[in-house]
């Protein structure tokens, strides 16, 4: 029995980092992330439920629940829920009249404040009707308020979930049906204790490797003279660094992504630098008006994804963090951008000097039970009042697709995010981008920022202030640098094999017509033309002015897609696949590529 249990593929241990989001959870600080989506169209609850049910099997965390080891002897495990019922996770409601933005955000904040039930898969969605008086939203639109525990996903895996639920056209793409369900019994406490004992016995083996990697990282970091990092617990005390209450406030500021990118080009920095500078301006004004602006700059914790291409199908968390001084002590908005940019460059240099993924493995050594008790004690005693803040706020930026998305034919109009706050860290700003719009969504507690709506307005006004200061500095744009070249080995093999398959299968029914072009960037850029109207259809190197659209990818991402390791829709949403021309034609062509790839690589 022990051997069978040891190899049980149905039991998936949480990583130390994922477990952290469980033991940090207290009644006043639920540790889920969430979103508010607004959809235009005649989408009904029943149609939404059916659409979701047809794709749940593509996101394993939607059907997995936790099993916790008795006495907290080890980290919990994910297990396929033998009693899964989608109706425990879906709810249906409507806004009271007049159905305006204030009512939607109040409902969202109330739902975000409620913890998820750990005896079930850790997610929930609420279908909201009667969005009748929200500016720029057609009456009759609907909202989807969603929550999923932070132990299950980080920002980038959340983007992957969006790639599963949404489509690039009004016509939903075909999705393979779920495999037959296998019911696995939930292991007994005795079995869990046995497994915990085996895991604990192995844990000391990790120590030499962690020490070795820590020494290497320290030596590499010491060599980065200009990359001295900002350390935690060095942030100045402010009113936003106080114990939180159990209720939540949530609001969003919307900005034009093109305008933000224009500021980035003029300043020679990144979009994230501009975002941090906007948040800095809003924080500076908010605290100054309360006569609480410290002389030292506020420090933001900025999550940094360490997720690799090989980990794209994993949920959980693959993140490190930077601690970024926000230059809130600088009055000039242009100078704030420069200070922030200089800091982030130095921080990235330091991040590059360490093996963040290896050092993150140190969390595997944290005793789960003790850590959970320590977090609850910290919350009960309000110890955050007794020391300097670890950092002042969290600012997380997750880019999204810049084309319209659809859910069962209903167009996604807006997508906004939320994430958890903690004692001593009472403000989180979640930044997302979608279809040309950037949203800066703030989450706080009435005990910390009862006037969060004022702060959200200051975010918009800080962006306007920064734009007014930066635009006069504009100069003619320099040519964009050439993209970094990567190896295209194996790319030609795919197209040659596609040509052979078309030549050997004259009666093959293709789901698209016309001429298409595929450009792959590598050591030697390649262009291939698919003439699907020919007799027989053909694939050949070259270009064509008659192409309905051109698809562009870097060679490594193309090869991953060719091997079936990267979904085309997900690649498009992540910016790895670009389309020049008719997007609907590109969707049709994607089906052709999938057909030609099948059983080949």
């Amino acid at each position: 029995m022990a051997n069978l249990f040891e190899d049980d593929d149905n039991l998936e241990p949480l990583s130390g980092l994922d477990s952290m989001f469980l033991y940090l959870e207290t009644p006043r600080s639920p540790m889920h992330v969430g979103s508010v989506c607004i959809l235009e169209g005649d989408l009904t609850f029943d149609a939404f439920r059916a659409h979701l049910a047809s794709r749940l099997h593509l996101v394993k965390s939607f059907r997995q629940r936790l099993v916790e080891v008795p006495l907290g002897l080890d980290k919990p495990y994910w297990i396929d829920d033998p009693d899964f019922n989608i109706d425990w996770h879906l709810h249906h409601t409507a806004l009271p009249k007049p159905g305006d933005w204030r009512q939607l955000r109040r409902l969202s904040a109330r739902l975000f404040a409620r913890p998820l039930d750990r005896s079930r898969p850790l997610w929930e969605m609420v279908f909201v009707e009667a969005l009748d008086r929200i500016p720029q939203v057609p009456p009759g639109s609907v909202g989807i308020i969603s929550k999923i525990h932070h132990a299950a996903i980080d920002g980038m895996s959340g983007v992957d979930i969006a790639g599963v639920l949404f489509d690039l056209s009004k016509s939903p793409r075909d999705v393979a049906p779920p495999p037959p369900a296998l019911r696995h019994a939930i292991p007994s406490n005795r079995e869990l204790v046995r497994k915990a004992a085996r895991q604990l016995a192995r844990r000391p083996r990790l120590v030499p490797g962690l020490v070795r990697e820590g020494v290497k990282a320290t030596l590499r970091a010491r060599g980065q003279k200009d990359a001295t990092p900002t350390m935690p617990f060095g942030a100045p005390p402010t009113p936003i660094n106080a114990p939180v209450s159990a209720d939540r406030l949530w609001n969003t500021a919307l900005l034009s992504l093109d305008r933000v990118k224009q500021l980035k080009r003029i300043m020679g920095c990144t979009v994230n630098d501009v975002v941090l500078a906007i948040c800095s301006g809003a924080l500076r004004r908010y605290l100054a008006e309360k006569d609480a602006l410290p002389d030292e700059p506020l420090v933001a914790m900025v999550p940094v994804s360490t997720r690799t291409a090989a980990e794209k199908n994993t949920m959980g968390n693959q993140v490190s963090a930077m601690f970024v001084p926000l230059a809130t002590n600088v009055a000039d908005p242009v100078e704030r951008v420069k200070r922030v940019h200089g800091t982030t460059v130095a921080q990235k240099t330091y991040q590059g000097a360490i093996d963040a993924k290896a050092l993150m493995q140190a969390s595997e050594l944290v005793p789960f039970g003790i850590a959970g008790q320590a977090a609850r004690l910290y919350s009960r005693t309000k110890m955050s009042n007794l020391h300097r803040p670890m950092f002042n706020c969290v600012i997380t930026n997750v880019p999204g697709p810049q084309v319209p998305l659809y859910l069962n034919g209903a167009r996604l109009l807006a997508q906004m995010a939320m994430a958890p706050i903690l004692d001593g860290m009472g403000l989180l700003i979640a930044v997302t981008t979608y279809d040309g719009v950037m949203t800066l969504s703030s989450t706080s507690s009435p005990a910390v920022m009862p006037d969060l709506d004022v702060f959200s307005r200051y975010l918009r006004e800080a962006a306007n202030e920064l734009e007014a200061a930066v635009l006069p500095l504009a100069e003619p744009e320099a040519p964009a640098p050439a993209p970094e070249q990567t190896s295209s080995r194996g790319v030609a093999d795919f197209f040659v094999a596609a040509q052979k398959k078309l030549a050997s299968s004259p009666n093959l029914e293709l789901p698209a017509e016309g001429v298409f072009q595929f450009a792959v960037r590598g050591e030697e850029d390649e262009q291939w033309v698919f003439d699907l109207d020919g007799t027989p259809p053909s694939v050949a190197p070259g270009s064509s002015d008659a192409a309905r659209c051109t698809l562009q990818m870097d060679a490594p991402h193309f090869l991953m897609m060719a091997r079936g390791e990267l979904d085309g829709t997900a690649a498009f949403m992540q910016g790895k696949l670009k389309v020049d021309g008719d997007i609907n034609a590109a969707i049709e062509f994607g089906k052709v590529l999938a057909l030609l790839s099948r059983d080949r690589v």
Side-chain angles (χ1 to χ4, degrees):
M1 181 175 180
N3 288 337
L4 289 174
F5 186 68
E6 179 74 15
D7 298 328
D8 189 351
D9 292 335
N10 189 46
L11 277 170
E12 180 181 336
L14 271 72
S15 70
L17 186 57
D18 292 344
S19 299
M20 179 187 72
F21 291 108
L22 289 175
Y23 59 68
L24 284 177
E25 190 164 61
T26 70
R28 290 188 284 112
S29 294
M31 295 300 295
H32 49 254
V33 296
S35 68
V36 178
C37 295
I38 298 178
L39 296 156
E40 176 188 18
D42 56 356
L43 183 66
T44 65
F45 175 75
D46 289 341
F48 171 68
R49 182 190 182 282
H51 176 85
L52 184 62
S54 71
R55 300 191 178 190
L56 277 179
H57 62 286
L58 301 177
V59 184
K60 66 179 182 178
S61 59
F62 276 7
R63 296 185 63 96
Q64 290 182 320
R65 56 157 290 187
L66 290 172
V67 289
E68 299 195 35
V69 179
L71 304 177
L73 295 176
D74 195 12
K75 298 183 294 294
Y77 295 87
W78 294 114
I79 186 172
D80 291 339
D81 186 2
D83 301 313
F84 176 78
N85 184 341
I86 189 175
D87 293 318
W88 290 342
H89 302 269
L90 289 184
H91 310 282
H92 187 187
T93 190
L95 294 182
K97 292 183 178 180
D100 58 17
W101 169 241
R102 184 181 65 168
Q103 291 169 317
L104 179 61
R105 60 183 172 83
R106 283 184 174 179
L107 173 63
S108 301
R110 190 160 63 248
L111 293 170
F112 291 150
R114 298 176 185 172
L116 291 162
D117 184 350
R118 289 198 186 185
S119 68
R120 298 171 180 167
L122 294 177
W123 65 276
E124 181 180 69
M125 292 186 184
V126 180
F127 185 90
V128 186
E129 295 184 337
L131 279 61
D132 294 330
R133 291 187 58 182
I134 297 178
Q136 301 180 347
V137 175
S141 297
V142 299
I144 308 294
I145 303 172
S146 64
K147 302 188 298 187
I148 184 167
H149 204 283
H150 213 329
I153 66 166
D154 59 24
M156 293 312 298
S157 55
V159 172
D160 292 336
I161 291 176
V164 168
L165 297 182
F166 290 93
D167 295 289
L168 299 174
S169 71
K170 288 188 175 182
S171 299
R173 65 189 186 275
D174 295 331
V175 172
L182 299 176
R183 291 179 63 88
H184 297 270
I186 296 177
S188 67
N189 286 343
R190 183 179 178 182
E191 291 171 324
L192 287 168
V193 170
R194 282 183 181 176
K195 190 168 184 69
R198 285 192 289 269
Q199 295 294 335
L200 290 170
R202 294 193 190 103
R203 202 152 293 167
R205 303 177 193 174
L206 298 175
V207 174
L210 291 173
V211 171
R212 184 169 56 252
E213 292 300 329
V215 170
K216 290 179 181 178
T218 301
L219 293 174
R220 286 194 297 267
R222 288 178 64 181
Q224 306 298 318
K225 295 181 180 179
D226 299 325
T228 304
T230 300
M231 301 305 293
F233 295 106
T238 74
I240 65 176
N241 301 111
V244 301
S245 57
D247 42 1
R248 292 291 176 269
L249 294 174
W250 178 85
N251 205 339
T252 291
L254 276 65
L255 305 176
S256 164
L257 180 58
D258 284 343
R259 291 170 69 181
V260 173
K261 286 183 175 180
Q262 184 181 23
L263 301 183
K264 160 217 148 182
R265 288 192 293 267
I266 294 172
M267 294 300 300
C269 61
T270 67
V271 166
N272 203 49
D273 292 337
V274 175
V275 168
L276 293 175
I278 290 171
C279 295
S280 172
L283 285 164
R284 174 183 168 84
R285 179 178 176 185
Y286 180 83
L287 293 174
E289 290 185 354
K290 297 180 181 299
D291 197 24
L293 180 66
D295 294 333
E296 305 170 63
L298 271 65
V299 177
M301 192 274 273
V302 180
V304 178
S305 177
T306 62
R307 185 176 297 274
T308 65
E311 295 163 334
K312 78 177 193 71
N313 291 322
T314 63
M315 293 293 104
N317 291 269
Q318 302 286 343
V319 293
S320 182
M322 295 192 302
F323 296 93
V324 181
L326 292 177
T328 48
N329 56 337
V330 176
D332 178 32
V334 173
E335 182 61 26
R336 281 201 299 270
V337 177
K338 293 178 180 178
R339 295 274 188 95
V340 168
H341 176 60
T343 300
T344 57
V345 169
Q347 292 278 24
K348 288 172 184 175
T349 303
Y350 182 80
Q351 288 273 325
I354 66 173
D355 185 349
K357 194 171 289 290
L359 296 182
M360 281 163 52
Q361 293 175 0
S363 61
E364 301 295 328
L365 302 179
V366 177
F368 180 80
I370 295 175
Q373 293 177 18
R376 290 188 289 273
L377 177 63
Y378 182 90
S379 177
R380 279 199 309 271
T381 57
K382 298 186 177 180
M383 290 181 64
S384 60
N385 287 328
L386 304 179
H387 58 78
R388 286 174 69 97
M390 185 174 186
F391 44 85
N392 296 110
C393 63
V394 176
I395 303 174
T396 176
N397 187 358
V398 180
Q402 298 310 307
V403 296
L405 302 180
Y406 299 85
L407 194 153
N408 203 50
R411 178 173 174 171
L412 177 64
L413 295 178
Q415 184 177 40
M416 298 153 280
M418 69 77 57
I421 56 175
L422 299 165
D423 283 343
M425 194 281 292
L427 173 64
L428 185 142
I429 305 171
V431 183
T432 59
T433 54
Y434 162 67
D435 197 18
V437 176
M438 172 179 285
T439 61
L440 290 81
S441 302
S442 303
T443 303
S444 190
S445 159
V448 178
M449 297 180 72
D451 49 357
L452 186 69
D453 296 348
V454 173
F455 178 73
S456 292
R457 175 163 58 86
Y458 287 174
L459 285 170
R460 292 191 295 272
E461 293 176 0
N464 292 336
E465 176 193 43
L466 181 60
E467 185 178 52
V470 170
L471 288 182
L473 307 177
E475 296 179 358
E477 293 187 19
E484 184 178 347
Q485 301 299 307
T486 54
S487 174
S488 61
R489 179 182 178 184
V491 172
D493 294 342
F494 171 84
F495 292 108
V496 170
Q499 167 60 27
K500 290 179 179 178
K501 188 165 187 176
L502 288 173
S504 63
S505 308
N507 297 322
L508 185 66
E509 294 187 9
L510 299 175
E513 298 177 348
V515 178
F516 300 86
Q517 188 166 278
F518 211 123
V520 181
R521 295 182 294 268
E523 289 181 353
E524 295 182 3
D525 292 353
E526 299 187 38
Q527 290 194 103
W528 294 78
V529 174
F530 286 69
D531 183 357
L532 304 184
D533 290 338
T535 307
S538 63
V539 182
S543 61
S544 173
D545 294 335
R548 296 177 62 188
C549 63
T550 298
L551 281 69
Q552 303 175 46
M553 293 188 83
D554 289 333
H557 295 147
F558 173 82
L559 293 172
M560 287 177 61
M561 191 172 72
R563 292 192 297 266
E565 298 171 2
L566 178 63
D567 177 75
T569 299
F572 184 81
M573 293 184 180
Q574 295 167 8
K576 298 172 182 174
L577 169 63
K578 297 182 180 180
V579 175
D580 183 11
D582 186 346
I583 185 66
N584 292 316
I587 294 171
E588 295 175 10
F589 181 52
K591 296 177 182 179
V592 174
L593 291 175
L595 181 65
L596 296 177
S597 301
R598 199 171 299 152
D599 302 326
R600 194 199 71 79
V601 181

